[in-house]
Amino acid sequence: MKKTPRISETEWEIMKVVWAQAPCAADQIIELLTRADPTWHPKTVKAFLNRLVKKRVLAFRREGRAYLYRPLVRESECVAAASESFLDRVFGGSLKPMLAHFVERRKLSAAEVKELKELLENREPGGRGLSKSR
């Protein structure tokens, strides 16, 4: 199984644009990022695009004068890798303390509590849904 490359918070911002718009030109990425946050500089974006290509997270092809970028890894793969890394680093890989931490510190609506209960029930041995099909 290939290892998903680690990407920084800044690289995540660029990847969100590419995942949503791919294939997309560097100029389009720069425009979307600067529209959301005017502190982005075009040279900075291009430097990060190059880093992501070197990490094999992005690929590009030249089309005339433009460089068109496309992701080499799915967003879901990066989310899974980042989640596992966070869980390992912060909670020693244990899910229960992480869930307890967030449930105790976040204000949850009744609908969110219901949804969480349903997710957990579906994962219980003998519960309905996901666990029976595995």
Side-chain angles (χ1 to χ4, degrees):
M1 184 167 126
K2 88 176 180 180
K3 188 175 192 274
T4 303
R6 292 182 79 158
I7 57 176
S8 70
E9 284 186 48
T10 305
E11 291 167 339
W12 269 99
E13 294 304 311
I14 292 169
M15 288 304 299
K16 285 180 193 175
V17 172
V18 177
W19 282 317
Q21 304 290 324
C24 52
D27 290 344
Q28 181 184 6
I29 297 167
I30 292 165
E31 179 189 335
L32 290 168
L33 288 169
T34 55
R35 190 181 308 155
D37 179 359
T39 62
W40 280 98
H41 191 278
K43 286 185 180 182
T44 305
V45 175
K46 288 178 182 178
F48 276 104
L49 288 169
N50 286 329
R51 279 172 71 175
L52 290 163
V53 168
K54 286 179 183 166
K55 287 183 176 187
R56 299 175 195 253
V57 175
L58 287 180
F60 71 91
R61 75 175 189 272
R62 233 178 137 167
E63 203 167 276
R65 293 180 49 133
Y67 286 85
L68 293 179
Y69 291 89
R70 66 177 176 79
L72 292 176
V73 294
R74 291 189 309 266
E75 184 175 10
S76 61
E77 292 173 33
C78 290
V79 168
S83 299
E84 287 296 323
S85 173
F86 172 77
L87 188 63
D88 289 343
R89 282 181 292 113
V90 179
F91 295 97
S94 182
L95 191 56
K96 183 180 173 187
M98 185 199 74
L99 286 172
H101 169 81
F102 285 110
V103 168
E104 290 170 0
R105 285 167 180 74
R106 293 300 280 277
K107 185 171 181 119
L108 299 173
S109 68
E112 289 171 322
V113 170
K114 181 178 183 242
E115 186 178 354
L116 283 171
K117 283 180 181 179
E118 288 173 1
L119 282 170
L120 291 171
E121 286 171 0
N122 287 339
R123 299 294 295 184
E124 283 181 18
R128 52 186 205 278
L130 297 174
S131 61
K132 285 187 175 181
S133 65
R134 287 187 175 207

